[in-house]
Amino acid sequence: MPLFHGLSAFPLTPTDMDGRVDTDSLRRILDRLVAAEVHSVGLLGSTGGYAYLDRAERRRAVEAAAGHLAGRVPLVVGVGALRTDAAMALAQDARAAGADGLLLAPVSYTPLTEDEVFVHVRAVAEAGGLPLCLYNNPSTTHFIFTTELIARLAALDEIVAIKMPLPAGRTIADEIVELRGRVPDGFAIGYSGDWGCAEALLEGADAWFSVLGGLFPRTSMRIVAAARDGDAATVHEIDARLGSTWDLFRQHGSLRVVYAMARMLDLTKAEPPRPILPLPTEEEPRIRAAMAEIDELEGKAKSAIGE
Amino acid sequence: MPLFHGLSAFPLTPTDMDGRVDTDSLRRILDRLVAAEVHSVGLLGSTGGYAYLDRAERRRAVEAAAGHLAGRVPLVVGVGALRTDAAMALAQDARAAGADGLLLAPVSYTPLTEDEVFVHVRAVAEAGGLPLCLYNNPSTTHFIFTTELIARLAALDEIVAIKMPLPAGRTIADEIVELRGRVPDGFAIGYSGDWGCAEALLEGADAWFSVLGGLFPRTSMRIVAAARDGDAATVHEIDARLGSTWDLFRQHGSLRVVYAMARMLDLTKAEPPRPILPLPTEEEPRIRAAMAEIDELEGKAKSAIGE
């Protein structure tokens, strides 16, 4: 599977309250992804809390992950930062620490122009010297990529993929057709926003950049496999059974929910980086119910892959 | 004048390309503010690029400013950061370095809930132990304060003011009336968005948090003085003559424009922190024309204050 295709699983990055990465917990979470044979690990994505970690801790996380994965699964690393020089340094760090690819979101404080984002992304891509996926995530970066800008960036050698948010105001199918007409052959178009990604895969998206996949990779892989086989019925069946998880993701933000789930699974004791607060205990029954549904799907996923 | 009332002048923070503060240039810019007797200096606001500076450089900027102002003008310092512990440390640094008050924006990556912002702001206010102004700036923080949340926060001892963006969908007058009904007596309500602030002052706002004031404090002070005197004609006349500056601010973002102006005034050679790019040279004639208009106003401002 080429990089940035198939299931890219985005784990959280467990830390203590001071923002120091708990590499033991991280390795436990990565073990699940290796066992499920996800197509790539998306370390230090939004779910991985990259924006809340300093350079030294981000480097520690990449080193721990690269060492533990040891080439068994390709490692993609988020290198977004407010300053261009900081993002360039992070890209160089990620490469030196063993990343196979980079993910770059144009995070902003002062709203950025298209030209500013173009120059920024080009500088970081060149500094990193690895295949790079654009990270189009307006809900966190507050920058909206136009198709024009995507086309300009996709013409650069290093930039080989884009992680898109679910579209508003047009269908995923229409969006993919428009984008395919503007990017080179082989440029990967993938989606995030887990609740819409089953549909995106059925519509021909190359990748699912998945928060669920960072914690429950077997179920996520089943969706990807069924979509590849054109088995829409199975995709829809699994997707429907994840409905209560998607409801929680939409209501609370997927990051808060996967932290609660990871704690309930005893994978980590970590809480989200403050100011983000853990979900209130009142939500635990809903989360447990959603996880029970996933457990059952995971059991089926195990037997589907012959374990 | 009580803190967070009158003209709070927000200078840029000149740095080299690596984000190291040029304290000589900063002092030159502060000299203009001292000479015009602004009511406070708002160091490390959005215009001051706080989001792009690391902790050590922010501390250096505060130390340089506090040392140079030497009590002649109150010093307010922006202490926003993505992490709560980082913002708390910045608040303690600012106090230790001589700040008189703090300004706190709930900057976000993962969108924050009201409770998260409440807990975050309370923790930073307590850590700082100085009068604190809420910084309500959705265009950069992507968080929208409800009146309810402002009221909750205004009940805390340290929180004595708010810096509001220009309202959409209601008048400034209506907004001030609603807010006054929900905050303690003496709580200061001020505005940013320079092109609407003359009107805000005439409508009874307590403060103008001014980008223009960080570079052209005399003209800004004339507006504030005229508004205090109820001299709407003078306010409107000056405001109208600043129209081409306001157009530039709205089109390019005030930060990019004041960098260009400061360079033309030979106050600094600094450029905005990348990825933010300097304005293209094609815009120089427009900027020069706007500055010529301000120059003439500044001359009048000088004679108005008897120089």
Side-chain angles (χ1 to χ4, degrees):
Chain A
M1 182 78 66
L3 195 62
F4 304 122
H5 286 66
L7 183 73
S8 191
F10 279 71
L12 53 84
T13 310
T15 63
D16 66 15
M17 295 300 283
D18 298 325
R20 192 165 162 81
V21 175
D22 172 358
T23 50
D24 288 341
S25 293
L26 178 59
R27 280 185 280 261
R28 271 198 295 278
I29 292 170
L30 292 174
D31 281 338
R32 296 163 70 93
L33 309 188
V34 172
E37 300 181 25
V38 300
H39 300 115
S40 64
V41 168
L43 194 77
L44 300 176
S46 294
T47 303
Y50 74 95
Y52 299 91
L53 296 174
D54 68 21
R55 181 177 173 185
E57 291 304 312
R58 286 165 78 161
R59 176 138 187 169
R60 279 188 67 233
V62 182
E63 284 168 351
H68 195 61
L69 294 174
R72 291 175 294 171
V73 178
L75 177 62
V76 171
V77 176
V79 294
L82 277 180
R83 291 182 62 93
T84 301
D85 51 10
M88 289 168 69
L90 290 164
Q92 288 163 335
D93 286 356
R95 181 181 182 160
D100 299 296
L102 305 177
L103 182 71
L104 179 63
V107 290
S108 67
Y109 179 80
T110 299
L112 299 176
T113 66
E114 292 216 355
D115 276 344
E116 287 168 346
V117 168
F118 179 81
V119 173
H120 174 75
V121 172
R122 184 179 57 190
V124 178
E126 287 175 358
L130 286 176
L132 185 145
C133 177
L134 302 172
Y135 191 173
N136 184 5
N137 188 356
S139 70
T140 58
T141 65
H142 315 291
F143 180 80
I144 297 170
F145 279 92
T146 60
T147 302
E148 198 56 43
L149 180 59
I150 294 168
R152 272 178 82 192
L153 286 165
L156 302 179
D157 281 348
E158 294 86 357
I159 300 177
V160 300
I162 189 162
K163 175 179 185 292
M164 294 289 289
L166 299 174
R170 63 174 170 179
T171 65
I172 294 172
D174 286 350
E175 182 168 88
I176 291 176
V177 167
E178 186 192 316
L179 288 172
R180 292 244 189 263
R182 301 296 302 278
V183 298
D185 284 349
F187 186 91
I189 300 168
Y191 281 83
S192 60
D194 280 3
W195 50 90
C197 285
E199 206 54 40
L201 291 168
L202 289 174
E203 296 291 355
D206 298 306
W208 174 16
F209 298 97
S210 175
V211 177
L212 185 81
L215 203 54
F216 297 105
R218 288 185 199 283
T219 297
S220 307
M221 284 295 285
R222 263 185 81 201
I223 292 178
V224 171
R228 298 254 151 191
D229 294 343
D231 178 1
T234 299
V235 170
H236 287 139
E237 187 208 323
I238 303 173
D239 190 47
R241 294 190 56 186
L242 293 166
S244 44
T245 296
W246 303 156
D247 288 346
L248 285 161
F249 279 15
R250 275 183 295 227
Q251 182 181 342
H252 293 298
S254 51
L255 180 132
R256 295 180 186 84
V257 179
V258 291
Y259 265 93
M261 288 178 163
R263 285 199 306 276
M264 289 179 188
L265 290 168
D266 276 333
L267 288 168
T268 177
K269 296 192 191 312
E271 296 187 349
R274 303 292 168 106
I276 306 165
L277 295 174
L279 290 182
T281 49
E282 303 94 271
E283 286 291 25
E284 279 183 18
R286 270 181 79 197
I287 297 167
R288 284 194 193 285
M291 284 174 72
E293 196 79 42
I294 296 171
D295 263 356
E296 204 174 308
L297 285 166
E298 296 269 297
K300 284 192 191 164
K302 270 194 188 179
S303 47
I305 60 175
E307 281 189 25
Chain B
M1 182 79 64
L3 195 62
F4 304 122
H5 285 66
L7 183 73
S8 192
F10 279 70
L12 54 85
T13 310
T15 63
D16 67 14
M17 295 300 283
D18 297 325
R20 190 165 164 82
V21 175
D22 171 359
T23 51
D24 288 340
S25 294
L26 178 60
R27 279 186 281 262
R28 272 198 295 279
I29 292 170
L30 292 174
D31 282 338
R32 295 163 71 93
L33 310 187
V34 173
E37 299 179 28
V38 300
H39 300 114
S40 64
V41 168
L43 195 76
L44 300 177
S46 294
T47 303
Y50 74 95
Y52 299 90
L53 296 174
D54 67 21
R55 181 178 174 185
E57 291 305 311
R58 286 165 78 160
R59 176 137 188 170
R60 279 188 67 233
V62 182
E63 284 170 350
H68 195 61
L69 295 174
R72 292 175 293 173
V73 178
L75 177 61
V76 172
V77 175
V79 296
L82 277 179
R83 291 182 62 94
T84 301
D85 51 10
M88 290 168 68
L90 290 165
Q92 289 163 334
D93 286 355
R95 182 182 181 159
D100 300 295
L102 305 177
L103 182 71
L104 179 62
V107 289
S108 68
Y109 179 80
T110 298
L112 300 175
T113 67
E114 292 217 353
D115 276 345
E116 286 169 345
V117 169
F118 179 81
V119 172
H120 174 75
V121 172
R122 183 178 59 191
V124 178
E126 287 175 358
L130 287 177
L132 184 145
C133 178
L134 302 172
Y135 192 172
N136 183 5
N137 188 356
S139 71
T140 57
T141 64
H142 315 291
F143 180 80
I144 297 169
F145 279 93
T146 61
T147 302
E148 197 57 44
L149 179 59
I150 294 169
R152 271 177 84 192
L153 286 165
L156 303 179
D157 282 347
E158 294 86 356
I159 299 177
V160 299
I162 189 163
K163 174 178 186 292
M164 294 289 287
L166 299 174
R170 63 174 170 180
T171 66
I172 293 172
D174 286 350
E175 182 168 89
I176 291 176
V177 166
E178 186 193 316
L179 288 171
R180 293 246 188 261
R182 301 296 302 279
V183 298
D185 285 349
F187 186 92
I189 299 169
Y191 281 83
S192 59
D194 280 3
W195 51 91
C197 285
E199 205 55 40
L201 291 168
L202 289 173
E203 296 292 356
D206 298 307
W208 174 16
F209 297 98
S210 175
V211 177
L212 185 80
L215 203 54
F216 297 105
R218 289 185 200 283
T219 297
S220 308
M221 284 295 285
R222 265 185 81 200
I223 292 178
V224 171
R228 298 255 151 191
D229 293 343
D231 179 359
T234 299
V235 171
H236 286 139
E237 186 208 324
I238 303 172
D239 190 47
R241 294 191 53 187
L242 293 167
S244 44
T245 297
W246 302 156
D247 288 345
L248 285 161
F249 279 15
R250 277 183 294 228
Q251 182 181 342
H252 293 298
S254 51
L255 181 132
R256 294 179 187 86
V257 179
V258 291
Y259 265 92
M261 288 178 164
R263 284 199 308 275
M264 289 179 188
L265 289 169
D266 276 331
L267 288 167
T268 178
K269 296 191 190 316
E271 295 186 351
R274 302 291 169 105
I276 306 166
L277 295 174
L279 290 182
T281 49
E282 304 92 271
E283 285 291 25
E284 279 184 18
R286 270 180 80 196
I287 297 168
R288 286 197 192 283
M291 285 174 73
E293 195 79 41
I294 297 171
D295 262 357
E296 204 175 307
L297 286 166
E298 295 269 295
K300 284 191 191 162
K302 270 195 188 180
S303 47
I305 60 175
E307 280 189 24

